[in-house]
Amino acid sequence: MLDQHINVLSLLKRVGEITGRKKFQKIVFISKKLGMPFHEKYNFHRYGPYSEELSLRLEELQQFGFISEIKEEKAGYHQYRYQVAANGEDFLNTKGNDRETFEQQKTVIEDMNACSSKFLELASTILFLEPADKEEIIKKVHTLKKTQKYSKQDIEQAYAHIEYWRQHLNKGR
Amino acid sequence: MSRGNEMLKEEKVFKDPVHRYIHVNDRLIWDLIGTKEFQRLRRVRQLGTTFLTFHGAEHTRFNHSLGVYEIMRRMIEVFHGRPHWNEEDRLLCLATALLHDIGHGPFSHSFEKVFDTDHESWTREIINGETEVNAVLRRMGDQFPREVADVIEKTHPNKLVVSMISSQIDADRMDYLQRDAFYTGVSYGHFDMERILRVMRPLDDQVVIKSTGMHAVEDYIMSRYQMYWQVYFHPVTRSAEVILNKILRRAKYLYLNGYVFNQSPAHLKPFFDGDISIEDYLKLDEMVIFYYFQVWEEEEDEILADLCSRFLHRRLFQYVEFNQHFIMNEWAGLQERFKAIGVDPEYYLVIDFSSDLPYDFYRPGEEEERMPIHLLMNDRKLRELSRQSDVVEAISGKKRTDHKLYYPSDVLHTPGQESEKREILEILSG
């Protein structure tokens, strides 16, 4: 019951804060693709993989007072900052927080959180397009993400990060 | 004529209660309809458990898919000869419209939740794998199945074609709103599709609407809003969905814990084991599921038997509103009290969420994800719909959410442990 909410909440607790809705979306997508227990359904949208379900989950967590969403004015746009609220801490404590605490995966999640959302958009797009071969994926990334102008170096870096995340998680198993 | 296709000698016509007639002239489309994977859609209802609320909602993904195809065909007729429209994309659009739901299984929503499958990835598998559908599509070239799958997945580079099948105003939505309204018998869901089709225009990367058609689009957006809350999220339908979900969870739990079923659930074993082939997936339809529910009604496991009986005989759960106060103050206690009266809260106390965003637009930098509907103004400039329409502006970006708690009311009114049950009812009544 509420397992999926607890997973999202636990993930946020591990990293302390996530800045940006897009970043949140991509971290959960990548985590899911790497085998972490997220079941939100993703489709391909303007910025790559996007889940309406996760959007709803975040909204519910906010309505329950479990997470705080702080809206900040940036140059010409708004950005959202997410943290676990006191009620959320209490809820996790009452649940024992013993299911999916992501202790093993903490380093990987933190590493993702340290990346820019533009970079995570690239990494998650690559993962979405798998299992096609690399050459085909690169061609498609250039077509689908023309405006982001990802360089060859960006793409290689994304592949390297994905590999690092995978290896790290496999080690923990 | 496009490679791999020929025109039929005589037009084939399906009689359709929503669009009156569905016209097929291409051999490719006719042969796709004849594949066993497409015919399987006759055995999967379009609206899942909605028939338990609106008894007319027995229509299937087969007639919806034909309807989407027909709308797409009419859209292409309007686009014919206009700038930005490439006639070579015609069959790609028609095949995509016809096959966009090919990966749906019985009661998709519940299945995907319990077995962690995804109908979109099954759509890809069916289109690209060793299937009759794939063999028909490949007549158009080895890359054609892949292209169809990419359009459905929204990763095809041709954004105009993608927007014709999936956007905030597309062939899929225009069919399901009208079809679902027709079969449920509700008066919402109606809008002037003929008018919308007449004012649709192709652009490089999207379909736009001539500004003169704005009021027809307003009507469409509002009808979508009403259908979601009056039909798709109807609490009785959700209650049936909750029970269906719990049946599948219980059956899976029992199987994984070595329970010996009276009748081996052969069709479902691959799903329980998490090792599903295309053949396994395609064998599953609603008739098979209902067969197991009938059999399981006689099972020794009381929870499974009870849940199946509830679903088959429409003895659904009751509901109350669920809110923040509930989750912080009452939730844990309620679960304990259910256990105390011998009712497993894992199966009989269920929170369900519904949410809908009727219309939204892309706000630069705000990380929103929806491609807006654009109006084509007289000066050939584009204007986002909610900036022109007060009606749409009023509901733009406004997500409505609904949280309910479902429980078996009948159990709480049966003799035995009356004081505990009274306490539970008091909590539930707030």
Side-chain angles (χ1 to χ4, degrees):
Chain A
M1 192 67 65
L2 294 171
D3 286 355
Q4 292 308 308
H5 293 77
I6 292 167
N7 284 346
V8 174
L9 204 56
S10 299
L11 179 136
L12 184 58
K13 194 185 167 188
R14 286 284 155 247
V15 289
E17 180 177 290
I18 295 178
T19 306
R21 288 179 175 175
K22 183 159 84 178
K23 185 179 262 190
F24 213 136
Q25 284 276 344
K26 305 315 175 209
I27 289 176
V28 172
F29 176 77
I30 296 169
S31 302
K32 181 184 170 182
K33 287 298 272 191
L34 297 175
M36 289 186 225
F38 291 100
H39 301 283
E40 283 76 10
K41 220 166 109 60
Y42 274 83
N43 285 312
F44 201 81
H45 279 235
R46 169 180 279 263
Y47 297 110
Y50 169 79
S51 169
E52 293 254 5
E53 275 180 19
L54 178 62
S55 256
L56 171 62
R57 200 92 71 213
L58 288 175
E59 199 158 312
E60 285 156 4
L61 286 167
Q62 219 186 314
Q63 284 174 5
F64 294 155
F66 290 174
I67 62 170
S68 67
E69 182 191 73
I70 302 153
K71 191 176 175 182
E72 290 170 334
E73 290 277 335
K74 290 276 162 186
Y77 68 96
H78 296 113
Q79 193 165 52
Y80 297 85
R81 205 144 51 82
Y82 294 94
Q83 288 171 343
V84 177
N87 270 354
E89 296 275 1
D90 289 349
F91 184 69
L92 279 178
N93 291 336
T94 57
K95 292 298 282 185
N97 195 18
D98 57 355
R99 283 184 224 199
E100 303 297 345
T101 59
F102 301 118
E103 192 53 49
Q104 296 282 342
Q105 299 94 334
K106 189 170 188 256
T107 319
V108 169
I109 302 167
E110 280 176 341
D111 191 59
M112 281 188 238
N113 200 27
C115 297
S116 72
S117 62
K118 185 181 169 187
F119 181 78
L120 293 178
E121 180 180 339
L122 172 60
S124 57
T125 300
I126 290 171
L127 283 166
F128 190 88
L129 295 171
E130 279 184 351
D133 63 62
K134 191 172 171 182
E135 206 177 310
E136 209 175 316
I137 290 176
I138 293 173
K139 210 170 124 193
K140 210 143 192 197
V141 165
H142 285 308
T143 319
L144 292 168
K145 301 263 144 219
K146 217 185 294 174
T147 53
Q148 293 288 42
K149 296 189 171 62
Y150 290 119
S151 66
K152 205 175 159 196
Q153 204 186 353
D154 291 332
I155 293 174
E156 285 309 322
Q157 221 178 336
Y159 268 101
H161 267 262
I162 291 170
E163 187 51 32
Y164 163 74
W165 294 331
R166 274 191 177 132
Q167 276 182 6
H168 196 92
L169 290 173
N170 283 336
K171 234 188 313 177
R173 274 182 192 135
Chain B
M1 192 42 43
S2 303
R3 66 211 148 95
N5 183 45
E6 61 182 51
M7 300 313 272
L8 295 168
K9 287 193 178 69
E10 195 173 56
E11 182 179 66
K12 304 283 184 186
V13 180
F14 292 83
K15 188 79 190 80
D16 184 75
V18 176
H19 305 310
R20 292 191 66 237
Y21 293 101
I22 288 168
H23 306 263
V24 179
N25 284 293
D26 299 284
R27 165 71 56 194
L28 178 81
I29 299 301
W30 183 244
D31 289 351
L32 283 173
I33 293 169
T35 60
K36 66 178 180 190
E37 295 87 16
F38 192 79
Q39 290 293 320
R40 166 187 160 273
L41 297 179
R42 289 181 188 272
R43 305 189 298 273
V44 178
R45 285 192 194 87
Q46 172 71 9
L47 284 184
T49 59
T50 302
F51 72 96
L52 289 167
T53 311
F54 299 94
H55 66 265
E58 295 280 354
H59 55 304
T60 67
R61 295 207 181 262
F62 180 86
N63 49 21
H64 163 64
S65 299
L66 286 182
V68 178
Y69 155 82
E70 176 61 16
I71 294 176
M72 185 64 91
R73 195 189 65 77
R74 291 192 206 171
M75 219 186 258
I76 290 169
E77 267 181 7
V78 176
F79 289 2
H80 185 72
R82 290 189 185 279
H84 304 289
W85 171 248
N86 183 352
E87 201 58 25
E88 281 180 16
D89 292 330
R90 189 179 72 88
L91 283 167
L92 176 62
C93 289
L94 295 178
T96 300
L98 191 72
L99 299 177
H100 77 287
D101 269 356
I102 196 87
H104 271 288
F107 306 110
S108 277
H109 184 72
S110 290
F111 253 81
E112 288 176 14
K113 290 272 172 252
V114 178
F115 299 115
D116 206 17
T117 61
D118 174 5
H119 72 266
E120 265 141 13
S121 66
W122 283 110
T123 297
R124 286 189 75 81
E125 295 267 344
I126 293 166
I127 290 173
N128 291 320
E130 284 181 27
T131 57
E132 290 183 8
V133 160
N134 178 269
V136 174
L137 291 172
R138 257 189 296 120
R139 285 193 226 141
M140 300 293 296
D142 286 345
Q143 289 308 308
F144 192 67
R146 181 73 192 268
E147 284 204 49
V148 171
D150 285 355
V151 174
I152 296 172
E153 195 189 55
K154 294 194 263 188
T155 58
H156 194 280
N158 189 333
K159 291 185 176 161
L160 170 64
V161 172
V162 172
S163 80
M164 289 163 78
I165 187 71
S166 52
S167 64
Q168 295 200 73
I169 186 158
D170 61 31
D172 181 22
R173 284 187 190 194
M174 282 198 274
D175 183 79
Y176 77 64
L177 287 176
Q178 295 179 91
R179 190 166 301 279
D180 296 344
F182 176 87
Y183 282 98
T184 51
V186 299
S187 58
Y188 347 100
H190 299 293
F191 58 91
D192 189 349
M193 187 181 76
E194 297 304 322
R195 175 83 185 129
I196 291 180
L197 288 177
R198 284 175 67 90
V199 293
M200 279 186 149
R201 295 289 179 270
L203 280 191
D204 235 1
D205 59 354
Q206 61 173 316
V207 177
V208 297
I209 309 287
K210 265 178 78 179
S211 60
T212 49
M214 184 180 81
H215 297 299
V217 178
E218 283 175 343
D219 216 17
Y220 158 83
I221 301 272
M222 293 313 289
S223 76
R224 184 188 171 282
Y225 175 78
Q226 288 162 337
M227 282 295 283
Y228 267 78
W229 289 101
Q230 300 295 327
V231 176
Y232 304 135
F233 297 156
H234 195 290
V236 175
T237 306
R238 302 298 307 160
S239 178
E241 192 79 27
V242 159
I243 293 176
L244 177 66
N245 177 293
K246 293 298 177 186
I247 294 174
L248 297 172
R249 275 185 203 283
R250 184 65 183 175
K252 182 180 173 185
Y253 170 84
L254 292 173
Y255 174 83
L256 295 178
N257 284 280
Y259 178 85
V260 181
F261 290 84
N262 289 332
Q263 169 82 47
S264 167
H267 292 83
L268 288 154
K269 275 184 182 171
F271 292 82
F272 295 148
D273 290 329
D275 184 18
I276 317 159
S277 67
I278 295 191
E279 290 75 25
D280 297 328
Y281 191 79
L282 291 170
K283 270 184 202 160
L284 217 58
D285 58 39
E286 288 182 8
M287 293 178 185
V288 171
I289 296 298
F290 271 99
Y291 166 73
Y292 282 112
F293 286 5
Q294 295 248 14
V295 173
W296 290 343
E297 199 188 359
E298 308 292 326
E299 274 296 341
E300 275 164 38
D301 180 75
E302 284 179 11
I303 293 178
L304 183 64
D306 175 66
L307 292 172
C308 287
S309 162
R310 285 176 182 278
F311 190 80
L312 289 172
H313 311 303
R314 199 186 175 280
R315 295 205 311 271
L316 306 177
F317 289 171
Q318 189 56 267
Y319 61 89
V320 291
E321 299 301 321
F322 185 78
N323 53 31
Q324 189 193 350
H325 165 81
F326 223 122
I327 198 166
M328 290 310 292
N329 302 317
E330 314 285 8
W331 181 234
L334 200 57
Q335 286 179 304
E336 287 310 313
R337 285 178 172 88
F338 262 66
K339 282 181 200 160
I341 61 164
V343 178
D344 188 343
E346 191 62 32
Y347 295 96
Y348 291 93
L349 195 56
V350 185
I351 309 164
D352 183 70
F353 305 98
S354 303
S355 164
D356 181 44
L357 181 60
Y359 174 76
D360 205 9
F361 54 88
Y362 166 62
R363 302 171 183 86
E366 264 216 27
E367 302 165 350
E368 296 296 340
E369 301 273 351
R370 297 206 179 195
M371 182 61 146
I373 295 174
H374 279 118
L375 297 175
L376 183 62
M377 310 307 286
N378 290 336
D379 58 5
R380 306 295 299 165
K381 285 189 177 145
L382 295 183
R383 204 161 159 78
E384 189 276 312
L385 175 65
S386 71
R387 293 181 187 267
Q388 199 67 18
S389 159
D390 295 337
V391 176
V392 176
E393 204 231 344
I395 58 165
S396 273
K398 293 196 175 62
K399 196 179 268 183
R400 187 174 151 190
T401 52
D402 186 35
H403 306 147
K404 286 190 165 55
L405 180 63
Y406 288 87
Y407 63 97
S409 167
D410 50 329
V411 170
L412 301 176
H413 291 97
T414 52
Q417 296 176 290
E418 277 86 358
S419 63
E420 288 90 342
K421 288 176 182 171
R422 200 176 316 116
E423 258 182 53
I424 291 176
L425 286 167
E426 274 167 22
I427 295 174
L428 289 170
S429 64

